[in-house]
């Protein structure tokens, strides 16, 4: 009888021990994926200017709203999260503030993105490895503070050399003119590129106000400049470099970036 009781007690203890081990294994299985699986959020970095004056004219400038809003709509609706950076961070100046444009209005009235654009990151807060693409919005302000910003240039170079896309529109390519890759070459050298043309700059009577003519500088850096007539949409794609000529090209640049990402 004692032997039977002993065997029964031993069996119960063994089953209890096995059950505990099974519970421990289940807990490990339940918690392990949470530790190992990272979010697969798809992110693109938009660069906007912090500069608010057109040279010595006293006239205001900043980033051009449509050149943010139209690519944002294309990429955001495709599932991408957009972050914003500017040379100074914080709330950048805005130009071309036209809320009769439905896409501009949609962007401006989106609570999440309105908060984001008014609280841009500084370059030091950006981890380039978080982004599949970097996009430079235009607006005349870009001509003054984007070309010589070394931190932004390094971010863009790393995104590109990690296999990502570099895009820009209108005066946004001013941010590309001094980007150098790890081999010492300019990013735009030997590549097809476009941006705000010399003719368009003269048409708005700012050819003697901007620090340089963008078309001429891109050619000087070795870019193979393409263009259409004034104010006509024109998007140039050369591998993972995507550039647009003017505000009318902003949506097309967003669409070209999305196509390349896909």
């Amino acid at each position: 009888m004692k032997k039977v009781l002993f065997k029964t007690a031993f069996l119960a203890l063994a089953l209890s021990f096995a059950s505990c081990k099974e519970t421990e294994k289940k807990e490990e299985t339940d918690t392990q994926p949470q530790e190992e699986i990272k979010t697969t959020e798809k992110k693109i970095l938009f660069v906007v200017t912090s500069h608010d004056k057109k040279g010595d004219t006293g006239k205001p400038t900043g980033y051009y709203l449509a050149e943010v809003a139209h690519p944002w709509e294309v990429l955001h609706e495709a599932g991408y999260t957009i972050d914003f950076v500017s040379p100074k961070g914080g709330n950048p100046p805005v130009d071309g503030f036209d809320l009769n444009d439905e896409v501009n209005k949609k962007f401006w009235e989106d609570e999440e993105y309105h908060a984001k654009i008014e609280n841009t990151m500084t370059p030091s807060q950006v981890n380039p490895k978080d982004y599949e693409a970097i996009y430079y919005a235009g607006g005349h302000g870009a001509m003054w503070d984007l070309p010589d910003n070394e931190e932004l240039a390094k971010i863009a170079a790393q995104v590109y050399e990690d296999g990502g896309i570099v895009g820009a529109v209108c005066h946004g390519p001013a941010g590309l003119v001094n980007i150098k890759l790890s081999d010492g070459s300019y990013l735009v050298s030997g590549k097809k590129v476009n941006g705000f043309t010399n003719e368009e700059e003269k048409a708005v009577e700012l050819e003697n106000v901007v620090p340089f003519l963008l078309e001429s500088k891109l050619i000087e850096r070795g870019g193979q400049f393409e263009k259409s007539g004034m104010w006509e949409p024109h998007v140039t794609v050369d591998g993972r470099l995507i550039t647009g000529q003017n505000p009318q090209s902003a949506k097309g640049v967003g669409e070209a970036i999305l196509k390349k990402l896909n």
Side-chain angles (χ1 to χ4, degrees):
M1 183 67 178
K2 287 182 179 179
K3 286 183 180 180
V4 171
L5 290 172
F6 177 78
K7 286 181 179 180
T8 303
F10 180 79
L11 182 59
L13 184 63
L15 288 170
S16 175
F17 179 76
S19 176
C20 287
K21 294 300 288 181
E22 196 63 36
T23 300
E24 286 176 12
K25 285 174 71 176
K26 184 177 186 304
E27 286 175 353
E28 287 178 8
T29 303
D30 288 344
T31 58
Q32 195 70 16
Q34 293 176 3
E35 294 173 0
E36 291 182 357
I37 294 176
K38 296 182 180 179
T39 60
T40 55
E41 187 178 19
K42 302 181 296 182
K43 300 177 76 175
I44 297 171
L45 184 66
F46 276 32
V47 182
V48 295
T49 179
S50 296
H51 190 82
D52 65 355
K53 291 289 187 296
K54 294 176 182 174
D56 298 326
T57 66
K59 294 179 180 179
T61 187
Y63 71 88
Y64 205 79
L65 182 57
E67 295 172 23
V68 167
H70 285 256
W72 163 82
E73 182 186 47
V74 171
L75 297 165
H76 176 58
E77 290 190 352
Y80 286 87
T81 296
I82 310 300
D83 289 340
F84 297 94
V85 63
S86 63
K88 294 181 180 179
N91 191 3
V94 59
D95 198 2
F97 192 75
D98 177 14
L99 295 189
N100 290 319
D101 178 316
E102 291 183 3
V103 179
N104 286 358
K105 182 178 173 65
K106 179 180 177 181
F107 171 77
W108 198 252
E109 294 181 352
D110 184 295
E111 290 185 10
E112 177 188 359
Y113 278 94
H114 189 93
K116 275 190 167 188
I117 194 66
E118 291 194 343
N119 294 277
T120 63
M121 293 185 289
T122 60
S124 63
Q125 294 175 301
V126 173
N127 179 0
K129 292 190 175 297
D130 289 342
Y131 300 97
E132 296 183 38
I134 182 170
Y135 163 76
Y136 287 77
H140 269 92
M143 295 290 288
W144 278 271
D145 66 350
L146 297 188
D148 297 318
N149 191 293
E150 294 182 3
E151 286 181 289
L152 287 172
K154 288 178 181 177
I155 291 167
Q158 184 168 346
V159 169
Y160 187 79
E161 293 193 316
D162 285 347
I165 294 164
V166 174
V169 75
C170 198
H171 289 93
L176 310 183
V177 298
N178 290 322
I179 295 175
K180 286 188 175 181
L181 303 178
S182 56
D183 64 2
S185 67
Y186 286 108
L187 170 66
V188 300
S189 180
K191 297 184 181 71
K192 294 183 290 184
V193 65
N194 80 1
F196 206 62
T197 67
N198 291 353
E199 291 86 355
E200 286 168 324
E201 203 68 80
K202 290 172 184 175
V204 297
E205 299 182 348
L206 290 171
E207 75 274 18
N208 295 317
V209 174
V210 291
F212 54 87
L213 290 174
L214 182 54
E215 175 184 339
S216 298
K217 182 65 73 172
L218 288 166
I219 293 170
E220 180 186 321
R221 293 291 188 251
Q224 299 171 7
F225 197 87
E226 296 184 345
K227 58 183 172 181
S228 294
M230 290 194 298
W231 323 124
E232 292 181 16
H234 188 120
V235 176
T236 295
V237 179
D238 191 329
R240 289 178 289 105
L241 178 63
I242 299 172
T243 47
Q245 182 170 319
N246 42 38
Q248 292 80 1
S249 309
K251 181 179 180 179
V253 170
E255 290 171 337
I257 290 172
L258 181 60
K259 184 177 180 180
K260 186 65 68 171
L261 286 167
N262 289 340

